[in-house]
Amino acid sequence: MADKQKKRIVVGITGGIAAYKSIELIRLLRKAQAEVRVVLTPAAEAFVTPLTLQAISGNAVSTSLLDPQAELAMGHIELAKWADCVVIAPASADFIARLTVGMANDLLSTLCLATAAPILLAPAMNQQMFAQTITQANLTQLSARGIQLIGPATGEQACGDIGAGRMSEPEEIFSALQQRLLQKQDLVGLGVVITAGPTREAIDPVRYISNHSSGKMGFAIAQAFAERGAKVSLIAGPTTLPTPRNVHRIDVESAQQMWQQSLTLACQNQIFIGCAAVADYRVEQVANQKIKKSDDSNEMILKLVKNPDIIADVANLSQHRPFTVGFAAETQQVAEYAQSKLQGKKLDMICANDVSAQGQGFNAEQNALHLFWHTGNKQLALNHKNILAKQLVNEILQQYQQSQIKE
């Protein structure tokens, strides 16, 4: 972080024994010529003092949302606008929960709501607290919103327990900050369309046919492209995932609605990625009223008709055809089916994943992909979907750029 690129970092510290490590993080930031402002939660003051942090950071430390002097200039808004990046280390389970639901009951949580700067969290808590389902759900939701998680590490904790929950070391947090702040905006001007999530095909006003897709992979890809400056349009089926930062989201329900939006946007952009799990069939006649159960019959017959093939129709556009990437979610003969789709649908690239494998695919936090294009293939190992998405973006860009050279 050289002087000519001097960065302004807000370091947020929440209540936890790992707060002492934040002193070293601030020292590393100052050594790298960053400007640092420190915000303490009330609980954090029990572990580190404002006076110590002021001496290390070279700036007054902020502790109260209702400080009369600071609020004369709307201190929390001023800090939110001032920051190039906000890093919270340690981030306690309590703070993570409050941030997830959008609370603003102290200075740090209010600042996080008011800033447009990227936010990084270094979780730190007892291993059992970290393993709790609600904590994992909170972290997943924050990650989907574009908040970067650093750690936690695994090892012996202050309470004597051993497990995941230790705050990452200051050097690791510093390295993650550097990577985030120095990330190239190299995709400005590139238009990308991504479909994500399931579709719902109505049977009657209360029933539908759908699948288990969560949309997590597609949303992660959208986030990865947007972080590098691309203009991203995300056509999303029914999902509760929050929209990634700087992504234009179009919500749809059915395959036909997704098809219409896809064909409209595909010819206006350079890359199209069909990550959605689109229903192959829909009910031919949707009932206007709820279908009642018949006591005279043990079966109900629905006539299904084929939905349009979105990825094939995009790949076969005669004018303004984008570089087209498909997904193949399979349960057997994954490579063979994926290569068949690559050829048969005239795609430029296809990403195959085995959704029958435990711990990956639909609804999971992790995934693994086998990529195929016409002259080669590559495997991306099992990883968190946000990390995997960044790897996938690099591979897509490499093949896209080669296709432009050929033209």
Side-chain angles (χ1 to χ4, degrees):
M1 300 178 188
D3 277 340
K4 64 181 180 180
Q5 295 177 324
K6 205 164 191 178
K7 298 299 182 182
R8 297 176 295 192
I9 313 296
V10 169
V11 176
I13 303 176
T14 71
I17 190 61
Y20 78 91
K21 291 184 178 181
S22 301
I23 296 171
E24 176 62 12
L25 172 62
I26 295 165
R27 191 192 68 79
L28 290 170
L29 290 169
R30 288 296 306 280
K31 187 177 179 181
Q33 304 301 312
E35 292 185 60
V36 181
R37 300 279 296 273
V38 180
V39 176
L40 292 176
T41 64
E45 292 185 74
F47 296 91
V48 285
T49 68
L51 187 61
T52 298
L53 296 166
Q54 178 176 308
I56 297 296
S57 69
N59 284 308
V61 174
S62 302
T63 59
S64 175
L65 178 61
L66 302 176
D67 182 342
Q69 282 301 113
E71 289 310 303
L72 283 173
M74 296 298 286
H76 63 288
I77 299 299
E78 182 268 328
L79 265 178
K81 291 180 178 178
W82 176 85
D84 290 317
C85 189
V86 178
V87 57
I88 300 165
S92 66
D94 172 74
F95 184 82
I96 287 166
R98 290 191 287 116
L99 184 61
T100 303
V101 296
M103 294 182 70
N105 57 343
D106 61 16
L107 177 58
L108 185 56
S109 58
T110 303
L111 185 153
C112 288
L113 281 182
T115 192
I119 299 173
L120 289 78
L121 293 181
M125 65 198 74
N126 170 265
Q127 56 88 22
Q128 187 59 42
M129 294 172 70
F130 178 71
Q132 286 290 340
T133 301
I134 187 61
T135 303
Q136 290 300 308
N138 289 340
L139 290 170
T140 297
Q141 190 170 338
L142 291 174
S143 180
R145 275 161 39 189
I147 292 175
Q148 183 176 338
L149 306 179
I150 308 166
T154 299
E156 187 174 354
Q157 299 183 311
C159 62
D161 285 0
I162 297 175
R166 283 170 55 97
M167 188 175 95
S168 297
E169 294 304 313
E171 293 80 6
E172 184 180 348
I173 299 169
F174 174 74
S175 177
L177 267 169
Q178 278 192 312
Q179 289 178 9
R180 184 65 181 258
L181 288 169
L182 298 177
Q183 187 172 45
K184 294 180 181 178
Q185 292 289 290
D186 57 339
L187 302 184
V188 173
L190 180 71
V192 182
V193 181
I194 301 164
T195 66
T199 61
R200 289 178 179 173
E201 309 304 323
I203 297 172
D204 61 23
V206 299
R207 301 181 181 91
Y208 57 82
I209 300 169
S210 191
N211 57 62
H212 294 296
S213 173
S214 64
K216 291 175 183 176
M217 192 71 236
F219 275 61
I221 297 168
Q223 178 180 316
F225 270 109
E227 284 177 355
R228 292 173 61 175
K231 179 175 70 71
V232 181
S233 298
L234 177 63
I235 305 171
T239 175
T240 59
L241 296 176
T243 307
R245 189 188 298 270
N246 297 325
V247 168
H248 174 55
R249 177 173 175 170
I250 304 101
D251 287 312
V252 297
E253 286 272 339
S254 69
Q256 286 185 304
Q257 291 170 348
M258 187 172 282
W259 175 78
Q260 291 169 349
Q261 292 290 342
S262 295
L263 289 185
T264 299
L265 291 171
C267 58
Q268 300 172 17
N269 292 273
Q270 289 79 49
I271 297 176
F272 183 93
I273 303 169
C275 190
V278 184
D280 292 324
Y281 293 87
R282 68 182 185 274
V283 177
E284 184 179 45
Q285 292 291 332
V286 179
N288 293 325
Q289 303 295 330
K290 178 182 175 182
I291 300 171
K292 297 295 183 181
K293 181 171 66 176
S294 172
D295 293 332
D296 301 329
S297 176
N298 291 324
E299 59 184 26
M300 180 176 71
I301 298 173
L302 296 173
K303 185 177 181 181
L304 304 180
V305 295
K306 266 190 177 182
N307 273 320
D309 191 327
I310 296 173
I311 197 72
D313 287 351
V314 169
N316 284 278
L317 286 170
S318 57
Q319 292 184 328
H320 306 294
R321 177 193 181 276
F323 183 86
T324 308
V325 181
F327 267 71
E330 305 290 350
T331 59
Q332 58 181 333
Q333 296 178 265
V334 177
E336 291 84 349
Y337 285 139
Q339 290 174 300
S340 175
K341 287 182 179 179
L342 176 71
Q343 301 293 336
K345 298 179 188 289
K346 299 181 181 179
L347 308 180
D348 297 295
M349 189 174 182
I350 195 161
C351 313
N353 62 314
D354 185 352
V355 293
S356 69
Q358 189 173 6
Q360 68 181 62
F362 288 159
N363 276 311
E365 298 306 316
Q366 295 184 311
N367 204 0
L369 295 173
H370 194 168
L371 314 182
F372 296 91
W373 53 94
H374 294 287
T375 57
N377 71 95
K378 184 173 183 177
Q379 289 187 318
L380 299 181
L382 184 68
N383 215 327
H384 191 283
K385 287 180 177 177
N386 284 339
I387 298 173
L388 188 67
K390 290 179 170 63
Q391 297 171 347
L392 177 58
V393 166
N394 288 333
E395 299 300 328
I396 291 173
L397 289 171
Q398 184 175 343
Q399 297 306 317
Y400 168 69
Q401 288 160 1
Q402 289 186 4
S403 74
Q404 297 302 105
I405 293 170
K406 291 176 185 177
E407 291 179 3

